[in-house]
Structure formats: C-alpha cells, structure tokens
Amino acid sequence: MIIPNNIQNIVILTGAGISAESGIKTFRDQNGLWENHDIMEVASLDGFKKNPNLVFDFYNARRSQLQSENVAPNEAHKALATLESKFKGTVTIITQNVDDLHERAGSHNVIHMHGELLKMHCLKSLKVYSIKGKLTQSTICSCCRQAGNLRPHIVWFGEVPYQIDKIDEVLKSCDLFISIGTSGEVYPAAAFVSEAKNHGAITIEQNITPTKQSRQFDSQLTGPSTTEVPRLVKMILNP
Ligand code: APR
C-alpha cells in the first residue's frame, strides 16, 4: 500500500467494528445487537412512541455498559488520536458509533453522525443535555421543567443524521478517505467512499473481513482494527 507524502486532509469513517475489541457489541456480526432486538422497536421514532420504556431500557443498558470499567479505548482509537495530534494536515473522524471512545482516546475532531449515548435531547426545545445515568419517562427536562419530554440523542432509522453539511464539506476536500470497522450497510455513511473518490481521494478500507463495499476502495487492510490501524497510522506518519 502506497501512501503519498503530499496528503493534506484525511477523513476517517468509523463503525462498530473499531469498538468491538473494546467489548462493545457490533450490530450485524454474530450475536450482534440486532440479533436480540427488533431494530424498529428500539431504533425508530415509531418504536419510541409505541413503547418508550423498552427504548429507554435499551439505551440505558448500553450507556451503563459503556461506562463500566471493562470498556476502554483500544489501540485503534489511540492510534487515530496519535494521527490527529502528529499529522501536519487535518484529520476528521466521522463516526457512526454513539460511544465516546474516540474522545476518551484523545481525538478532538469527531463528528457523531448517529448521535451519542451520553447525551439526550428535549423533544420540544431540541436542546441537548449530557446524561450518564438512566433516562426514563420521569426524567425532568431542565428547559421545560417537566417529565416526558426527553429522548436519547441518537439518530434512529428514518431520521436525518447529524452534521450532514459539515460531512459533505470535509468529504469534498479530503485526499485520503479511510473506512474502519463498518459493514457499509447503512446510508448515507455507505455512500461516503464514492463521494470522496469523486473528489479525487485515495480510499482505504480497514475491516476484519471483506465487505460488500470492498471493491469500491483502492486498497484493503484486512484484520482486527487494533493491529491494522496502528500499522496504517505509522505508514501515514512515516511515508
Ligand atoms: N476490527 C475491524 N472490523 C471489525 C472488527 C474488528 N475487530 N469486528 C467487527 N468488524 C467489522 C465487521 O466485519 C463489520 O463489517 O465491523 C463491521 C460492523 O458492522 P455493523 O455491525 O453493521 O456496524 P456498523 O457498520 O457500524 O453499522 C452502521 O447501522 O444499525 C445502524 O446506527 C447503527 O451506526 C450503526 C450503523
């Protein structure tokens, strides 16, 4: 794999695979999250309206697991934080993940296009608040001073991902696009590789196994993120 030494702007799309070795379940792998849940019951606005408690429980369980002592950033998250701090150009992470492992590893320039487990927002004012504990029907919203107006700050199926304009902007100017640990099953994230290519970017897919999108990439780095991402970062920093 050749990494030119004139790369200026790197965009990295991450998916559940980068957090798998930190102990966080992916969605579509063997015994993944979607195996034990009906997606539309726990990840859609209709599902939330029909059974808010089921949805609150689903995200409360994931939020508590994320904060447990056995979940921490892994070598892949840390390598991306090193890249951001040492690379002379820009490094933007667009993550589909709702965990905070990129931030805990030291990355700052992170776009959470599918929201964040440690946030909630008011249905009335759309104001976003941090949350570490349980969110329930009786959690009082500090802008409305009443219960029943808060939901997890997560983008559900059928909803528009966050910061799409900013994402379009960084894809337009990127000259290296790297996809890490995503199946490429969900749009618009699955279309980012072709957008980046249309603007002349070199594209690399890092995954533990080839995906249905693999042939769209200039090259593949196949293996666990914790070994392949640190290797890739070294190649980029020492071309
Ligand atoms: N290293 C690298 N890749 C891995 C590893 C690993 N250790 N373990 C799993 N993977 C890869 C799998 O091969 C798979 O391609 O991670 C990918 C996980 O795919 P999904 O479970 O579909 O997760 P993701 O692509 O992030 O899903 C996208 O779908 O359900 C929605 O909102 C949800 O953000 C999510 C979106």
Side-chain angles (χ1 to χ4, degrees), residues 201-217:
I202 293 169
T203 57
I204 300 172
E205 179 184 57
Q206 197 292 303
N207 199 302
I208 201 161
T209 174
T211 69
K212 61 167 68 167
Q213 281 210 312
S214 294
R215 62 180 175 285
Q216 292 192 56
F217 289 84

Side-chain angles (χ1 to χ4, degrees), residues 15-195:
I18 198 170
S19 297
E21 292 166 85
S22 293
I24 295 186
K25 274 187 174 184
T26 63
F27 292 93
R28 295 172 182 83
D29 287 327
Q30 205 68 28
N31 81 10
L33 272 170
W34 294 149
E35 256 185 25
N36 310 322
H37 296 88
D38 171 339
I39 295 186
M40 298 324 270
E41 275 186 355
V42 293
S44 74
L45 188 56
D46 282 350
F48 180 61
K49 286 178 179 163
K50 261 192 216 121
N51 188 346
N53 290 330
L54 176 71
V55 175
F56 283 129
D57 292 348
F58 177 68
Y59 290 98
N60 288 340
R62 292 174 64 197
R63 186 174 309 110
S64 129
Q65 188 221 6
L66 174 59
Q67 298 172 94
S68 68
E69 65 203 16
N70 45 19
V71 172
N74 61 49
E75 291 312 311
H77 296 107
K78 292 175 194 167
L80 294 186
T82 303
L83 181 65
E84 178 187 300
S85 65
K86 295 202 169 140
F87 182 64
K88 59 189 183 326
T90 68
V91 176
T92 306
I93 293 176
I94 303 169
T95 188
Q96 299 172 93
N97 299 340
V98 293
D99 62 55
D100 62 341
L101 297 180
H102 284 303
E103 290 84 353
R104 282 162 56 186
S107 289
H108 302 284
N109 195 6
V110 182
I111 298 172
H112 280 273
M113 65 179 290
H114 288 168
E116 297 175 68
L117 264 183
L118 299 178
K119 290 189 178 160
M120 58 187 178
H121 71 249
C122 172
L123 291 160
K124 298 236 179 315
S125 68
L126 302 182
K127 278 195 183 140
V128 179
Y129 301 98
S130 295
I131 177 165
K132 288 190 177 304
K134 281 187 185 313
L135 171 56
T136 70
Q137 291 254 53
S138 47
T139 307
I140 300 279
C141 178
S142 44
C143 53
C144 319
R145 299 247 173 278
Q146 55 190 214
N149 286 342
L150 289 161
R151 62 167 270 185
H153 188 57
I154 300 284
V155 177
W156 286 328
F157 284 96
E159 295 183 327
V160 178
Y162 297 137
Q163 303 191 63
I164 277 295
D165 294 345
K166 185 168 176 202
I167 290 173
D168 282 345
E169 198 187 298
V170 297
L171 287 174
K172 280 198 174 68
S173 59
C174 91
D175 37 28
L176 175 57
F177 177 82
I178 305 167
S179 159
I180 300 175
T182 180
S183 59
E185 294 272 350
V186 174
Y187 286 81
F192 291 170
V193 54
S194 53
E195 254 182 84

